[in-house]
Amino acid sequence: MSLLELREVTRTVIPQDQPALTILNGIDLTIEPGDHVSIVGRSGSGKSTLLNMLGLLDLPTSGEITFDDRPVRSYSSAARDRLRGAGIGFVFQQFNLLPGRTALENVTMPLLYSSGRTFWRRKKIAAEMLELVGLEHRLSSLPDRLSGGEQQRVAIARSLVRGPRLILADEPTGALDLDTGQSVMELIDEVATRTGAAQVTITHDPTIARRARRHFRLDRGVLTAVDDPSLEPLTRRDRREMAPADDDPAVLAARGFGADPTEDAALERGDA
């Protein structure tokens, strides 16, 4: 049984006073439990729109999306929100940490929507997740006292604290330097392997994409499998040699675009 499947998914938007634009065109993609997929595409190719589909944030204009072989359209909006909250973890380029909250409080936030024993044990669960990402000594630190790599680790802990079955990483290293980016990807890979979660990484960086087992390219809304030797999966030796020695770099200026599909469309037309 597949975890998530997109069949002939199309997404069309109608900007004000302009003709309809097809952002995604006939997307077919199957994600199995424990899978690791990378999707490479330039800015404006429809990556943000596809992320919205994979994350059950938007429904397709046509085609079908199933989660655990059940059509997503059969869920109410509230049920879809609950499914997303419990089953999908998002790791973004921007850390999106609450500035006035400690690392522990930031990671605890998603557990406030839990119930029963998980709710009452939320601080302990959050602390254990921060320990898993190597920040057990930073529980009381505010975001502005953390390095870029540490902030991303907090963001990863927050996205995974509810034990999602699918991790969606959207340009997760875009605001980090090369060494810290590799360290963060090692961490996401390790956590996904330990928890059995499937992982989809959306990126423009072939080096990051190469870490996955299956590779795709998104170009003008069309998704195709990549048969490119430069994107062959890394060997264990490759991973060891690429592992960074230092995890305290300066943060580069955050890059990227919003997740609004009309913004992707504007970029594709060259209006932005």
Side-chain angles (χ1 to χ4, degrees), residues 16-74:
Q16 187 174 6
D17 300 324
Q18 296 186 36
L21 288 171
T22 298
I23 309 302
L24 299 178
N25 190 2
I27 300 292
D28 290 314
L29 180 64
T30 300
I31 307 297
E32 304 289 349
D35 210 347
H36 189 178
V37 170
S38 68
I39 299 172
V40 175
R42 62 179 177 83
S43 296
S45 62
K47 297 196 306 293
S48 295
T49 306
L50 179 57
L51 180 75
N52 287 352
M53 299 291 111
L54 296 171
L56 312 185
L57 292 164
D58 290 329
L59 293 174
T61 304
S62 64
E64 185 174 56
I65 300 176
T66 60
F67 196 95
D68 281 340
D69 289 341
R70 177 178 172 180
V72 172
R73 289 186 187 276
S74 68

Side-chain angles (χ1 to χ4, degrees), residues 41-47 171 203-204 218 256-257 263-264 267-268:
R42 62 179 177 83
S43 296
S45 62
K47 297 196 306 293
E171 299 284 4
T203 181
H204 70 279
L218 185 64
F257 300 92
E263 183 172 342
D264 270 337
L267 286 166
E268 195 153 309

Side-chain angles (χ1 to χ4, degrees), residues 2-3 7 11 14 40 50 53 62 66 68 70 78-79 105 113 117 129 134 183 185 187 211 226 247 269:
S2 63
L3 175 62
R7 293 194 291 267
R11 176 69 170 176
I14 305 177
V40 175
L50 179 57
M53 299 291 111
S62 64
T66 60
D68 281 340
R70 177 178 172 180
E105 290 169 335
Y113 300 95
R117 191 162 180 252
M129 181 57 68
S183 176
M185 290 310 302
L187 177 61
R211 307 184 70 91
V226 173
D247 189 30
R269 295 194 313 271

Side-chain angles (χ1 to χ4, degrees), residues 160-200:
L160 304 182
V161 73
R162 295 189 71 177
R165 300 167 61 200
L166 173 64
I167 301 171
L168 297 178
D170 182 20
E171 299 284 4
T173 63
L176 303 172
D177 69 88
L178 180 61
D179 282 351
T180 304
Q182 292 294 342
S183 176
V184 164
M185 290 310 302
E186 287 280 353
L187 177 61
I188 296 175
D189 293 349
E190 178 184 349
V191 172
T193 299
R194 291 179 62 171
T195 62
Q199 182 182 344
V200 177

